[in-house]
Amino acid sequence: MLGKKLVTAQKRGETRALCLGLGMVACSTMMYFFIGITIVPFYTKSVWTTETVCKVLKANIKDKVLCPNSEGSEDEDIFPYPCLQVWVNLTASGQEVMLYQTEDTLERNPKCSYVPDKSENSKEVKARIETIASNFKKYHTFPCYYDPGGTQTNVILSRLYPPKGLLFAFLWPTLMFTGGCLIIVLVKISQYVSVLSAWQ
């Protein structure tokens, strides 16, 4: 009687462990799919892939502009803010080009180097932009990214999804997938050993 209870408890434990492993594999597959349709397209779409050194030529704050400056934008997304324009000397080619914060900044408003969040207070936005402009004037040289193919003549300060960020995004689903597969393999080995022992 006790032996039957132990066998039943063992089977229940193996079933739960197997469900856990399959659930981990399923979740990691969904995470792979989500990363593949969100982050990977932005990474492959970016042409600013080569790092170089930029030297600040001028950083000016112009009158307030509206954001975004793209077609098909809704009225509630439009808000005024001071326009910071940063021009740099590209070391790789010696050209005078405009600097943008990220790839998204260029898409939202190609006239300004920095686009603030619309949820921020107008005074905070003004103070932030003035601080950014003073930092550019203080630190004349810094690393930046440019398009080696020449399709984009401007440069960006940082990439939204650098190679390290992409690897980090794939790290957790990979660990979960590996752990799930390991649990499934261990359960199958345990079942095989139990059947083999009972048969002998």
Side-chain angles (χ1 to χ4, degrees):
M1 190 70 179
L2 183 61
K4 289 183 178 180
K5 289 183 178 181
L6 290 174
V7 170
T8 303
Q10 184 181 4
K11 287 184 177 180
R12 287 179 181 174
E14 289 176 350
T15 303
R16 290 174 182 174
L18 191 62
C19 290
L20 175 63
L22 291 174
M24 291 174 66
V25 171
C27 288
S28 61
T29 304
M30 292 176 63
M31 291 174 68
Y32 278 128
F33 177 75
F34 180 76
I35 293 172
I37 63 175
T38 55
I39 298 178
V40 173
F42 283 106
Y43 176 79
T44 55
K45 182 181 172 183
S46 178
V47 295
W48 296 271
T49 56
T50 306
E51 185 176 350
T52 185
V53 177
C54 288
K55 183 178 180 180
V56 176
L57 297 176
K58 53 186 176 180
N60 301 325
I61 300 177
K62 296 197 172 183
D63 295 334
K64 288 187 176 181
V65 296
L66 296 178
C67 175
N69 193 30
S70 57
E71 297 180 358
S73 59
E74 299 179 359
D75 293 338
E76 58 266 21
D77 292 333
I78 298 177
F79 62 97
Y81 62 93
C83 182
L84 172 65
Q85 291 184 345
V86 181
W87 292 88
V88 297
N89 187 345
L90 188 60
T91 305
S93 61
Q95 294 178 325
E96 181 180 338
V97 295
M98 189 168 176
L99 174 74
Y100 295 94
Q101 185 184 11
T102 61
E103 301 95 329
D104 185 57
T105 307
L106 179 61
E107 293 183 2
R108 292 179 65 185
N109 194 342
K111 294 181 180 179
C112 303
S113 298
Y114 174 77
V115 177
D117 188 2
K118 66 176 181 178
S119 62
E120 293 181 279
N121 186 287
S122 58
K123 292 183 179 179
E124 293 179 354
V125 169
K126 184 179 179 181
R128 183 189 296 272
I129 291 177
E130 288 177 353
T131 302
I132 293 173
S134 63
N135 286 337
F136 275 120
K137 293 176 182 178
K138 184 178 179 181
Y139 304 101
H140 294 284
T141 57
F142 51 87
C144 59
Y145 295 89
Y146 75 101
D147 175 19
T151 55
Q152 292 287 346
T153 56
N154 41 60
V155 295
I156 60 173
L157 181 62
S158 60
R159 300 181 65 182
L160 281 174
Y161 301 105
K164 289 183 179 179
L166 190 66
L167 291 176
F168 185 77
F170 278 107
L171 175 64
W172 295 112
T174 302
L175 291 176
M176 185 180 292
F177 182 82
T178 305
C181 291
L182 186 61
I183 290 174
I184 294 172
V185 170
L186 290 176
V187 169
K188 291 298 182 182
I189 292 175
S190 176
Q191 290 177 345
Y192 176 76
V193 171
S194 299
V195 171
L196 188 63
S197 299
W199 191 80
Q200 287 179 351

